[in-house]
Amino acid sequence: MNWGLARLRNKVLQLRLGGRSLDPLARENLHALEGLRLDSPAREHNFVVMDLETTGLDPTRDRVVSVGAFRLVQGRVRLGEVFSELCNPGRDIPVESIKVHAIVPDMIKDARPAWEVFEDFLAFIGTDILVAHYAAFDIYILNLAMKARTGFGLQNLVLDTVEMCRALLLRPDPYGVYGDFRKCGLDQLAEEYGLEVPERHTALGDAMTTALIFQRFLQRMEQDGEGSLRDLMRIGSMSF
Amino acid sequence: MGDFPLPRIKDFIHTVVPFDTLREEDLTRAVSRMEIAYFPRGEVIVRSGDAPAQFLHIIKSGSVKVTLTDDAGNEMLIDLRGEGDCFGAVSLLQGVKALFDVTAREDVIAFLLPGEYFRRLVETYPTFKRHFSFSLARNIQASRRANQAPGSLLTGGQSLGLDAILGRSLVSELMTTSVLACAPVTPVKAAARRMTKQRVGSIIVEDQNGLPLGIITDTDLRVRVLAGGLDADTPVTEVMSQPMRTIHTKAYAFEAMLEMIRHRVHHLGVTEGERLVGVISDHDLRVVTGAAPVGVVRDVDKISSVDELELIHQRLDPVLEMLLRLGGSAEYMLELATEFNDSLITKILELSELEMEHEGLGRAPVPYAWLALGSAGRREQALRTCQMNGLIFANLPEDRWRKTQGWFLTLAKRAVERLTQAGFPTCPDGLMANQPGWCLSEAGWQDTFLRLIEEKDICVMPHSGPLFDFRCVHAEMDFCEPLRQIIHRAQEGNRQFLARLGRLAPGERPPLGFLREFVVDKAGQYQARLDLKLSGLQPVVRVARVLAMEQGLKSTSTLDRLAELARRGILNERFAGDLREAFSFITLLRIARHLESRAAGREHDSQLDPASLSAVQRKMLKESFAVISQLQEFVEQRYRAQMIA
């Protein structure tokens, strides 16, 4: 979704909600796009890089078991501004997914239910720009929580590191004939950049890897003279 | 969220010195205050003159170089830092502008600790204070005020502050601006009077346009005028030192120091453009450094009795140590040590001769020279390794031979003894001038070398190599050049000799796998150690020697030989450059080890525990060994081909 569309949707939403009274979290999020200047350097904005671990890959049926995120300020990953929590999915955890994230039912039996965790996570995100690898999946789930909470979806700008990878690293491939996109997997990128992957397939570990990759992309764009927020939105906006 | 959620990051920080001494809760707190930054290769992370640092940088992966750039745009390498090393501490702690440029050598990921929290750690933890040695800088300033030379601080194992002082101080801050100048026709008497009146140690001799022609110092007056018995009305031009070496006002103090060592002078004129604005002396530098590298060689000349020999070597070590810390090149250090050792042996011979004369044994019956062999012959004896030397004297009739050798053997016996006293142990296989076999006339030495060339016993050959690195010291006649020519002619007529020497040259293969494994298994226990001399230096020395002999080169030093071989196209220029780097790096490492173990009161060996190296050093060592192993292959090929031919 590009900048224009996001703005338009936000305007319509603001009109629709009109004079309705909103709680602080909803009100803040409704105005997330205000004050963003397209020609400002991308680095000056705050980003929240996130990852979710779920019970499976079907966002309509599967539930979240773990949330991890870091905040980037001035292009640097802040180790003190971390969100990391397990949540109780309210359903059984398929063995297949346990093989991936290694979260067993015992670990989450005392965890809070997902909606409570998301309440805090939405507050953590605030109005920062969201970044995720294959963002559509995470945003879909996050939006469900947001809608349940406020009646409308997240208004934040969203960037997808897979989109950025395709635009920055791969040769142009409008018909998808090369199959290069596999090179944009998290593992492949981590290897490409020689990143020592900490705790892969934990939400926080993957969020860290994504953050380090995003850091490189940001740097790369600046080096190419494409360091504005406009450039970032053009190259990295999540596609639906 | 009690504990830090990313244990691996915390584990890493816990391995970084001095963070390894933090209490658990402080470590967690420190880590959660950090930020991760990425710097692509080539990015200048800190530029000298930038505002004071905001963060302490801890390198997670990649490496950086710390450099200084002088006015002429020459970049000077101060240090390399790699995984687990820090930078930015001095600027943070002293709140001063950045002193050096820090550039990413490879892609770098660094943890940044905010300055405020870092300062709190330095206040709370003595280990931090010690490691970042902020106190040293203050100590030096304080002692400067108290007008005491802070010599002992230098060896205190704290380097950062001192580097900073020498690296930060500009020549313009240390120089004397009250410069006296006089015309070329001025009599010495008048110049000396003005110097005394103004209480300065030097006066510049200028031409009518104000351009400096030379300089007269206290020493010149004493040595050339008084001791030389010159008339006080002699014009200054006859006693001045010239040309006067100059340096720019914006140069750093340690550049001035290296300049003085290079030209063996005590004073440099300080210029701004063409104009002379001041003078800087080694005394000015001594105020900040505590040791006088320039003076150390001359200290030897001042020795008047053999009792002073024992303490003399204590003067060289601190200077080498300082040079090491300032990033001085191996070449400088070897040069300085050789100069020092040569002055020492000259002094010893002079004193011994004098002694023998007093005892009624008379003077040297014929001209002679001291032969430096092995590492001393190659001008590479930076450490006090065991003696290897000989004595050569002029040919004389058969009937006088025995008696003459007797006189020289007495001299050599005393000299060897005194060298031992000065810290050079005797050689276990007796290759010293006090042995009849190594105290010979010119003809005797020729015979010895010719026999060595004809020698076919493969067991004897490796030991004869160092003999061919001979060099004359304290020579009253040039014995060495004719000898070298005779050897060259003889080996031309016997190709087998070089081929045999060439095949022996490669020696041991450097332990590449050893290091590689080591890098992988960082946590594991490694009992094995590495011999820097045997598998690092020796192959290079031997190969350079055999190639140099083949080409009939005059130079004996390995670095010179390699450079000359590149000029002649025997070695590829880049390869020779890499080899010189590798040789220099291992030499520096060896000197550093040696000084460390000496400071700790341990016996020195050239064994190295790779665990004691930083990541960058390990990497450079690995690269060095890779180059050396290429050289070994090269020389094996070359002499195998010659055998067949």
Side-chain angles (χ1 to χ4, degrees):
Chain A
M1 183 164 53
N2 65 31
W3 165 262
L5 193 56
R7 277 303 280 250
L8 182 67
R9 258 184 24 157
N10 182 249
K11 279 275 180 297
V12 173
L13 180 66
Q14 288 193 20
L15 278 173
R16 184 159 64 80
L17 294 177
R20 225 184 294 173
S21 71
L22 296 167
D23 72 17
L25 188 145
R27 197 167 48 238
E28 191 198 5
N29 196 259
L30 189 59
H31 299 285
L33 299 183
E34 274 156 36
L36 291 180
R37 286 199 352 268
L38 275 182
D39 50 359
S40 58
R43 187 176 283 269
E44 284 180 2
H45 297 272
N46 290 1
F47 300 91
V48 167
V49 187
M50 61 169 292
D51 184 65
L52 304 177
E53 296 297 320
T54 55
T55 56
L57 294 176
D58 180 350
T60 59
R61 280 189 323 172
D62 284 309
R63 297 287 177 268
V64 176
V65 290
S66 153
V67 181
F70 286 97
R71 201 186 314 279
L72 252 82
V73 179
Q74 289 290 325
R76 295 188 293 262
V77 185
R78 291 219 167 157
L79 294 180
E81 300 195 32
V82 181
F83 192 94
S84 173
E85 193 164 343
L86 296 176
C87 26
N88 194 328
R91 55 158 285 180
D92 62 312
I93 305 177
V95 177
E96 282 311 303
S97 80
I98 293 177
K99 282 185 192 161
V100 175
H101 51 60
I103 296 173
V104 296
D106 238 18
M107 293 161 68
I108 47 137
K109 68 177 194 296
D110 298 327
R112 298 193 289 166
W115 67 268
E116 264 188 60
V117 174
F118 272 107
E119 175 80 22
D120 287 351
F121 185 47
L122 289 171
F124 176 82
I125 294 171
T127 59
D128 290 352
I129 302 173
L130 277 165
V131 183
H133 205 66
Y134 291 112
F137 180 80
D138 300 51
I139 294 303
Y140 181 89
I141 291 176
L142 204 54
N143 261 334
L144 288 180
M146 182 70 182
K147 277 180 184 153
R149 167 76 170 66
T150 63
F152 58 88
L154 277 171
Q155 299 301 300
N156 307 52
L157 293 180
V158 180
L159 295 167
D160 189 340
T161 37
V162 177
E163 290 297 329
M164 294 183 77
C165 167
R166 286 183 184 154
L168 292 171
L169 302 185
L170 302 188
R171 50 195 159 163
D173 185 18
Y175 304 109
V177 294
Y178 294 134
D180 283 351
F181 58 87
R182 283 191 203 89
K183 291 180 187 158
C184 286
L186 208 52
D187 288 323
Q188 286 74 17
L189 282 171
E191 195 185 325
E192 164 86 20
Y193 288 133
L195 299 175
E196 187 188 301
V197 180
E199 291 93 13
R200 174 84 169 102
H201 290 303
T202 66
L204 197 63
D206 283 0
M208 169 61 79
T209 307
T210 310
L212 295 179
I213 289 167
F214 178 67
Q215 212 171 27
R216 304 243 169 173
F217 287 162
L218 214 55
Q219 173 67 41
R220 163 89 182 251
M221 289 177 63
E222 283 170 356
Q223 234 164 18
D224 296 346
E226 299 189 319
S228 71
L229 183 61
R230 178 184 286 110
D231 295 319
L232 190 61
M233 293 311 297
R234 181 171 47 76
I235 284 175
S237 280
M238 176 183 74
S239 62
F240 284 96
Chain B
M1 232 183 312
D3 203 12
F4 187 73
L6 283 176
R8 297 258 289 267
I9 290 182
K10 208 170 94 176
D11 289 349
F12 170 74
I13 298 296
H14 195 54
T15 63
V16 173
V17 180
F19 287 84
D20 54 344
T21 60
L22 286 185
R23 280 187 300 272
E24 178 67 24
E25 66 269 22
D26 282 336
L27 181 66
T28 306
R29 217 169 291 151
V31 172
S32 57
R33 273 176 174 74
M34 288 183 186
E35 303 182 12
I36 306 179
Y38 163 69
F39 307 100
R41 180 184 167 170
E43 179 162 322
V44 182
I45 303 170
V46 180
R47 214 174 278 279
S48 65
D50 273 0
Q54 303 291 315
F55 297 100
L56 176 77
H57 290 65
I58 304 164
I59 301 171
K60 168 68 178 78
S61 65
S63 64
V64 301
K65 59 177 181 186
V66 182
T67 55
L68 258 181
T69 307
D70 67 13
D71 288 328
N74 299 317
E75 190 183 85
M76 231 170 317
L77 185 65
I78 307 294
D79 200 3
L80 292 174
R81 313 247 163 103
E83 191 185 314
D85 292 336
C86 303
F87 60 91
V90 176
S91 171
L92 256 182
L93 289 174
Q94 303 188 327
V96 293
K97 288 179 181 170
L99 313 172
F100 304 108
D101 291 325
V102 181
T103 314
R105 283 176 86 221
E106 327 163 52
D107 289 347
V108 167
I109 294 180
F111 292 110
L112 275 54
L113 180 65
E116 193 190 331
Y117 192 71
F118 172 58
R119 274 188 289 268
R120 202 177 311 158
L121 289 178
V122 172
E123 279 159 26
T124 329
Y125 282 89
T127 45
F128 269 65
K129 193 172 223 159
R130 221 173 299 133
H131 185 78
F132 294 103
S133 71
F134 174 44
S135 52
L136 179 69
R138 271 202 308 245
N139 285 344
I140 289 185
Q141 278 164 8
S143 62
R144 207 168 152 184
R145 272 196 297 276
N147 209 9
Q148 275 173 333
S152 57
L153 290 172
L154 185 74
T155 48
Q158 302 164 306
S159 63
L160 223 75
L162 184 69
D163 288 11
I165 290 245
L166 268 175
R168 187 181 61 217
S169 306
L170 294 174
V171 164
S172 57
E173 293 164 11
L174 300 174
M175 67 183 185
T176 311
T177 46
S178 53
V179 182
L180 289 184
C182 63
V185 291
T186 316
V188 169
K189 189 168 60 184
R193 207 175 295 140
R194 286 185 60 196
M195 284 164 68
T196 315
K197 205 170 159 199
Q198 301 289 328
R199 295 184 185 185
V200 294
S202 62
I203 189 166
I204 311 281
V205 182
E206 283 180 344
D207 68 7
Q208 62 268 39
N209 299 322
L211 291 177
L213 295 172
I215 186 169
I216 294 182
T217 63
D218 281 340
T219 321
D220 293 328
L221 290 177
R222 205 174 56 238
V223 176
R224 295 194 187 152
V225 182
L226 287 178
L230 282 183
D231 193 76
D233 289 322
T234 316
V236 284
T237 39
E238 284 185 24
V239 292
M240 67 183 182
S241 308
Q242 59 169 351
M244 186 166 85
R245 304 284 169 187
T246 58
I247 192 159
H248 196 268
T249 38
K250 294 227 177 66
Y252 286 93
F254 80 88
E255 293 176 75
M257 190 181 77
L258 291 179
E259 243 351 75
M260 287 182 196
I261 296 177
R262 197 180 300 163
H263 301 298
R264 305 211 194 304
V265 294
H266 288 289
H267 294 77
L268 295 174
V270 183
T271 54
E272 214 169 65
E274 293 272 277
R275 218 161 50 88
L276 189 82
V277 293
V279 171
I280 188 163
S281 67
D282 69 331
H283 180 263
D284 297 328
L285 292 176
R286 201 191 312 231
V287 173
V288 280
T289 62
V294 192
V296 72
V297 172
R298 302 208 175 170
D299 282 351
V300 178
D301 299 335
K302 294 185 195 138
I303 291 180
S304 56
S305 88
V306 289
D307 302 331
E308 293 170 49
L309 288 173
E310 241 165 280
L311 294 170
I312 192 70
H313 67 245
Q314 288 174 8
R315 309 213 185 147
L316 183 63
D317 286 0
V319 175
L320 287 181
E321 194 170 331
M322 178 166 64
L323 284 177
L324 204 61
R325 287 192 173 146
L326 293 175
S329 70
E331 221 169 341
Y332 274 160
M333 281 191 238
L334 294 179
E335 201 178 292
L336 181 70
T338 302
E339 213 59 45
F340 180 89
N341 294 344
D342 284 0
S343 318
L344 184 65
I345 184 65
T346 304
K347 194 77 204 176
I348 287 176
L349 289 168
E350 279 170 8
L351 288 174
S352 306
E353 274 184 67
L354 217 62
E355 207 177 57
M356 283 172 71
E357 201 182 332
H358 280 308
E359 290 169 20
L361 299 171
R363 297 184 179 203
V366 288
Y368 75 98
W370 187 259
L371 280 183
L373 307 171
S375 65
R378 291 192 305 274
R379 315 180 69 96
E380 282 160 15
Q381 198 177 23
L383 315 176
R384 280 179 298 283
T385 46
C386 89
Q387 295 183 40
M388 197 187 272
N389 45 47
L391 197 146
I392 184 169
F393 50 87
N395 284 330
L396 69 178
E398 189 72 32
D399 54 325
R400 281 178 55 202
W401 196 91
R402 184 64 54 195
K403 268 194 168 163
T404 307
Q405 196 202 26
W407 191 93
F408 283 116
L409 272 172
T410 315
L411 177 73
K413 217 166 127 189
R414 295 179 184 202
V416 166
E417 201 173 293
R418 269 151 204 170
L419 273 174
T420 319
Q421 200 182 337
F424 294 89
T426 50
C427 186
D429 39 0
L431 230 165
M432 289 174 298
N434 60 357
Q435 305 296 316
W438 309 113
C439 180
L440 300 167
S441 67
E442 269 189 284
W445 277 102
Q446 282 171 20
D447 276 353
T448 307
F449 277 114
L450 293 181
R451 254 188 295 120
L452 285 173
I453 289 171
E454 295 303 322
E455 179 64 61
K456 289 199 175 53
D457 186 347
I458 209 103
C459 298
V460 176
M461 296 222 30
H463 302 290
S464 69
L467 284 172
F468 287 95
D469 296 331
F470 62 86
R471 180 170 64 88
C472 287
V473 184
H474 189 55
E476 291 169 342
M477 226 172 98
D478 189 11
F479 297 101
C480 285
E481 203 36 45
L483 195 56
R484 214 176 296 284
Q485 279 168 17
I486 287 169
I487 292 172
H488 190 60
R489 266 199 305 276
Q491 107 212 349
E492 288 275 278
N494 183 352
R495 302 300 289 180
Q496 290 293 317
F497 166 69
L498 276 186
R500 274 198 302 268
L501 210 59
R503 265 176 300 124
L504 285 172
E508 278 195 32
R509 284 280 166 168
L512 277 171
F514 178 66
L515 276 173
R516 192 157 34 229
E517 260 172 56
F518 180 80
V519 172
V520 174
D521 191 10
K522 200 171 164 186
Q525 293 289 310
Y526 266 85
Q527 298 302 324
R529 289 158 76 86
L530 191 63
D531 194 316
L532 287 178
K533 186 183 169 195
L534 209 64
S535 35
L537 300 178
Q538 201 155 303
V540 186
V541 165
R542 286 183 177 174
V543 172
R545 177 193 299 135
V546 68
L547 290 174
M549 286 175 70
E550 182 195 297
Q551 294 294 312
L553 303 186
K554 271 188 191 178
S555 44
T556 53
S557 110
T558 304
L559 288 170
D560 287 350
R561 279 169 168 174
L562 290 172
E564 184 60 33
L565 288 167
R567 262 194 295 279
R568 297 194 177 201
I570 306 296
L571 295 174
N572 170 308
E573 196 150 324
R574 223 181 116 189
F575 183 43
D578 288 350
L579 276 169
R580 283 167 52 91
E581 288 277 312
F583 184 81
S584 301
F585 177 69
I586 297 177
T587 301
L588 286 180
L589 213 54
R590 194 162 167 241
I591 297 176
R593 278 304 114 151
H594 182 77
L595 293 175
E596 265 167 36
S597 45
R598 163 104 28 91
R602 272 182 279 122
E603 190 69 13
H604 174 72
D605 53 22
S606 54
Q607 300 279 308
L608 172 80
D609 177 4
S612 61
L613 296 176
S614 74
V616 172
Q617 286 176 323
R618 261 199 313 267
K619 199 163 163 190
M620 289 187 57
L621 194 57
K622 221 169 91 180
E623 283 167 16
S624 300
F625 279 144
V627 178
I628 292 171
S629 127
Q630 273 177 43
L631 177 73
Q632 293 175 315
E633 259 158 50
F634 166 82
V635 84
E636 272 165 16
Q637 290 293 332
R638 186 182 179 86
Y639 288 103
R640 188 177 305 143
Q642 279 201 5
M643 279 302 278
I644 297 162

